[in-house]
Amino acid sequence: MIRLIRVELAKVVRRPRTYLGYVAVLLILVPFLISLHYGRPEHFLRAQVGRDFAVVGTFFNALFLAHLVMKVVMVVFMPFFGSTVAGDVVAGEAGEGTLRTMLVRPVSRSAVLLAKYIVAALHAVGVTFFLLAASLGLGGLLFGFGDLFLFEAGLCIVPLKEGLLRLLGAYAAAALAVLSVASIAFLVSVLVDNALYAVGGALAVFIITGVVAVIPYFERLHPYLFITHMDLWQKLMLDPVPWAELGRSAAWLAGYCAACFLAALLLFRRKDILS
Amino acid sequence: MQSAAQANEPSQAAGAAAPVLRAAGLSKRYGKRQVVDGVDLEVRRGDVFGFLGPNGAGKSTTIRMLTGLVRPDAGTVAILGHDLHRRPQQALARVGAVVEAPALYPHLSGDQNLAVLAALSGGASPERRREVLRLVGLEGRAHDRVRTYSHGMKQRLALAQALLPQPELILLDEPTNGLDPGGMVEVRQLIRRLAAEEGITIFLSSHLLAEVEQVCNRVAVIHKGQVLVQGSVPELLQAAPFVTIAATPLEQAREVLAGIAGVRVAATDSGALRVECDPGRIADLNEALVRAGCRVSALVPGRLSLEEFFLDLTGSHP
Ligand SMILES: Nc1ncnc2c1ncn2[C@@H]1O[C@H](COP(=O)(O)OP(=O)(O)OP(=O)(O)O)[C@@H](O)[C@H]1O
Ligand SMILES: [Mg+2]
């Protein structure tokens, strides 16, 4: 199994398109860096809280950036940057035909698929944490470190150390949300011959559930939609942290990931390799 | 057959007598089209087995079923005594295959491709990889990306990856497809050498009658998903060589030839006679014609084309 994971990893890390997500993360940080560099905290506060504050010094720092950027990109962008490899690992090889070269060898299809899922998951989690690392790194360089200002429920100032811990937890929770979308892409990947279709399929599922999630008529479905649980990371920014709710959402998302993998496994084991 | 293998327990010993590959009643339908229809095959140890058929006959689909890529609707496959469906890993443990056009990782080098693929069947040392690359004549390009390879080089790298796990059986799907004449000769020589020197049993598909004749000792002919005949190449393919004879006057020549024992005038087309006879007797025919006062302008020994061969087999030849 370890050998299979290493093989999959070797193929993925040498493929230039794997790094698309990482480049996109860096690009997305640029407008944030500019706005924080040239913008003024007072204006930001007025927009957020609706009242004028007298600000002494600044709360624009690396932690603030890491949190701010998350609020914007976790909604749509990150799930897709995190899904590119998941959509590619099976469909890409089916398209290139290398799936048949692999599977005429004496390997268990289940083991191959598990190795591919693990690599896809590493990418989903990796891209998410890359966003944290990049915003802390670039933010630290430009704005330095300091206490984390939260405006979720009034103003809450979290000391640097606790702020870092909360961010770490929030990104871990967000990685799980990203992984759940990646798992859908992975499932579609088993059915199609092109990574774009797989990521597109996951996008379609994402949009449809997103629509269902905002239509009141479907209110009774809402607790069961994965999209309802995707903002679980925000709970780590509340005071006090609602651990029970957070745990429930995490369990739902983990369940979705497992269900997608198992469905993919059933399909893959029976699939006729025709490409 | 099965009971014999079971009785002879340590089944490796029994494997020597059992066929290397046996398929029984393989069938596959895509949508409404019956693509493979009750195919039986038996490949014995040491065979270079030709799987001959025109485009769309179902060769690749059959090979996909023989390698576990496609699940047959009906029928069974046993490789080296292991049932492919029930024990795919045992069945494929000593098998190398190239299915359809070579499919390799374009962004990896030839050597990296071999390493990655070998890891799926127990690994191969760098020495072993170098050895197979040398065998197929790619050692000079081992570290270039496969993206930069020509079609012939990819074909040879695919052959190399099939050879990596020191297989007892390799399955090759139209291994000379897309190669230039020089490349074809090289690959055919390599195949013969692998069979003769390394003792590898080879199953190869082809739509070229001449290719099967040159490299194979046994053949199965597939047409529209069904195996028409199966047997030794000398018996099946070299049965009816013929000579095309152009002579004037044509009618007289026809009568003279028809009078010779063991000679059959099969057809007349475009001013020439198609005569079926032992190729060793062509000089005799010429002499008889000249003696009878015919002027012979051409004497061309010929082989049945694949088309004609199929027409013969399917019985629709005049
Ligand atoms: N994925 C598929 N879906 C539907 N029909 C298919 C598929 N693959 C092959 N076929 C059909 O099955 C038949 C046999 O195809 P196959 O590829 O096995 O033939 P072949 O003998 O390998 O031909 P060739 O010499 O052209 O490679 C053809 O009629 C083809 O159209
Ligand atoms: Mg074919």
Side-chain angles (χ1 to χ4, degrees):
Chain A
M1 195 61 224
I2 299 288
R3 195 206 287 266
L4 283 182
I5 295 171
R6 278 180 29 199
V7 165
E8 288 304 318
L9 215 50
K11 289 189 288 198
V12 166
V13 298
R14 293 204 178 88
R15 193 174 278 143
R17 61 176 181 260
T18 301
Y19 299 97
L20 234 60
Y22 296 88
V23 175
V25 160
L26 288 178
L27 288 178
I28 246 177
L29 276 176
V30 171
F32 286 96
L33 291 171
I34 293 175
S35 72
L36 290 193
H37 190 68
Y38 296 105
R40 298 174 54 89
E42 293 83 356
H43 297 156
F44 183 86
L45 262 188
R46 197 178 306 128
Q48 280 285 322
V49 193
R51 270 188 292 152
D52 282 341
F53 271 89
V55 179
V56 183
T58 181
F59 55 84
F60 281 2
N61 58 37
L63 281 70
F64 182 75
L65 172 67
H67 181 218
L68 179 68
V69 80
M70 203 178 185
K71 285 202 281 195
V72 178
V73 302
M74 279 306 165
V75 182
V76 183
F77 299 108
M78 278 319 276
F80 292 97
F81 298 153
S83 298
T84 52
V85 170
D88 199 23
V89 276
V90 181
E93 291 220 30
E96 279 174 353
T98 44
L99 203 53
R100 66 174 185 263
T101 311
M102 280 188 84
L103 294 181
V104 298
R105 298 200 164 264
V107 279
S108 128
R109 286 196 187 185
S110 308
V112 166
L113 198 73
L114 182 59
K116 286 185 177 294
Y117 185 74
I118 289 171
V119 169
L122 282 177
H123 172 77
V125 173
V127 169
T128 312
F129 277 96
F130 181 70
L131 178 66
L132 175 64
S135 36
L136 286 183
L138 293 174
L141 221 61
L142 287 171
F143 317 116
F145 291 87
D147 296 344
L148 174 61
F149 280 54
L150 298 173
F151 302 93
E152 265 51 46
L155 173 64
C156 170
I157 300 175
V158 182
L160 171 63
K161 222 162 138 193
E162 189 193 328
L164 283 174
L165 275 179
R166 282 197 190 219
L167 277 172
L168 209 62
Y171 271 85
L176 184 59
V178 170
L179 181 60
S180 64
V181 177
S183 299
I184 296 172
F186 186 80
L187 171 56
V188 184
S189 182
V190 168
L191 299 172
V192 296
D193 285 358
N194 187 321
L196 281 179
Y197 297 158
V199 178
L203 181 65
V205 172
F206 187 77
I207 290 173
I208 292 166
T209 36
V211 169
V212 171
V214 294
I215 296 178
Y217 178 76
F218 297 111
E219 202 165 343
R220 269 193 284 162
L221 289 180
H222 291 178
Y224 309 108
L225 300 175
F226 71 94
I227 214 160
T228 312
H229 303 285
M230 279 190 65
D231 62 358
L232 81 168
W233 60 271
Q234 289 180 344
K235 302 204 165 81
L236 277 151
M237 295 299 166
L238 298 178
D239 223 9
V241 176
W243 291 107
E245 267 179 58
L246 184 68
R248 206 171 321 122
S249 285
W252 269 107
L253 291 180
Y256 272 109
C257 293
C260 283
F261 176 73
L262 289 177
L265 190 63
L266 281 177
L267 292 168
F268 190 66
R269 284 176 58 96
R270 301 191 56 90
K271 180 182 162 122
D272 279 348
I273 310 297
L274 297 173
S275 55
Chain B
M1 189 61 245
Q2 216 167 12
S3 60
Q6 275 161 5
N8 261 345
E9 242 330 327
S11 69
Q12 260 68 16
V20 172
L21 181 146
R22 157 172 292 196
L26 277 188
S27 298
K28 185 71 185 180
R29 170 186 286 275
Y30 287 141
K32 283 190 176 165
R33 177 178 288 138
Q34 189 73 42
V35 170
V36 175
D37 188 6
V39 163
D40 299 318
L41 294 168
E42 190 180 293
V43 180
R44 299 172 199 150
R45 190 168 296 274
D47 275 350
V48 179
F49 190 98
F51 193 41
L52 181 63
N55 289 135
K59 302 183 292 294
S60 298
T61 306
T62 303
I63 291 182
R64 282 175 192 268
M65 290 192 279
L66 296 179
T67 47
L69 293 176
V70 162
R71 183 187 293 246
D73 297 333
T76 56
V77 176
I79 300 176
L80 298 163
H82 300 286
D83 183 275
L84 179 65
H85 183 63
R86 266 177 291 160
R87 307 178 160 275
Q89 290 180 57
Q90 280 95 326
L92 294 172
R94 306 297 307 276
V95 174
V98 183
V99 182
E100 307 222 23
L104 302 149
Y105 299 101
H107 64 291
L108 301 181
S109 74
D111 187 56
Q112 283 168 343
N113 263 280
L114 294 187
V116 157
L117 290 167
L120 301 174
S121 46
S125 63
E127 291 73 43
R128 173 68 187 156
R129 302 204 298 265
R130 216 170 303 135
E131 192 182 322
V132 292
L133 283 168
R134 195 174 330 110
L135 203 61
V136 299
L138 274 180
E139 66 270 47
R141 297 290 297 271
H143 298 290
D144 292 351
R145 287 184 180 211
V146 167
R147 200 189 292 293
T148 67
Y149 282 19
S150 73
H151 179 77
M153 295 167 71
K154 285 182 197 156
Q155 194 73 265
R156 280 183 283 161
L157 184 60
L159 202 55
Q161 70 75 31
L163 290 171
L164 263 184
Q166 297 185 311
E168 288 181 43
L169 168 69
I170 56 181
L171 298 114
L172 305 171
D173 193 1
E174 308 209 18
T176 59
N177 208 9
L179 300 184
D180 61 21
M184 283 187 171
V185 170
E186 262 177 49
V187 166
R188 286 174 195 160
Q189 275 171 351
L190 179 61
I191 288 170
R192 272 191 297 244
R193 208 166 77 224
L194 290 172
E197 290 169 21
E198 317 265 331
I200 300 174
T201 305
I202 292 168
F203 178 96
L204 68 89
S205 76
S206 176
H207 61 267
L208 302 172
L209 192 61
E211 176 168 277
V212 170
E213 226 180 317
Q214 279 174 34
V215 293
C216 301
N217 66 321
R218 285 171 25 91
V219 64
V221 179
I222 183 170
H223 187 56
K224 294 187 176 156
Q226 296 185 324
V227 170
L228 301 178
V229 283
Q230 181 163 195
S232 93
V233 166
E235 270 171 38
L236 288 175
L237 299 191
Q238 293 161 358
F242 63 86
V243 200
T244 305
I245 300 178
T248 47
L250 199 63
E251 263 319 300
Q252 189 188 343
R254 186 198 240 303
E255 277 159 26
V256 170
L257 292 172
I260 302 173
V263 173
R264 195 169 86 83
V265 181
T268 317
D269 41 54
S270 55
L273 298 170
R274 234 176 93 118
V275 180
E276 284 173 12
C277 76
D278 181 345
R281 299 187 56 195
I282 293 177
D284 297 343
L285 300 188
N286 186 32
E287 198 185 331
L289 287 170
V290 172
R291 244 193 233 142
C294 294
R295 292 171 53 83
V296 179
S297 55
L299 263 172
V300 187
R303 275 277 144 73
L304 291 177
S305 71
L306 185 57
E307 274 312 305
E308 292 164 322
F309 180 69
F310 280 117
L311 290 173
D312 272 0
L313 277 179
T314 50
S316 48
H317 207 279

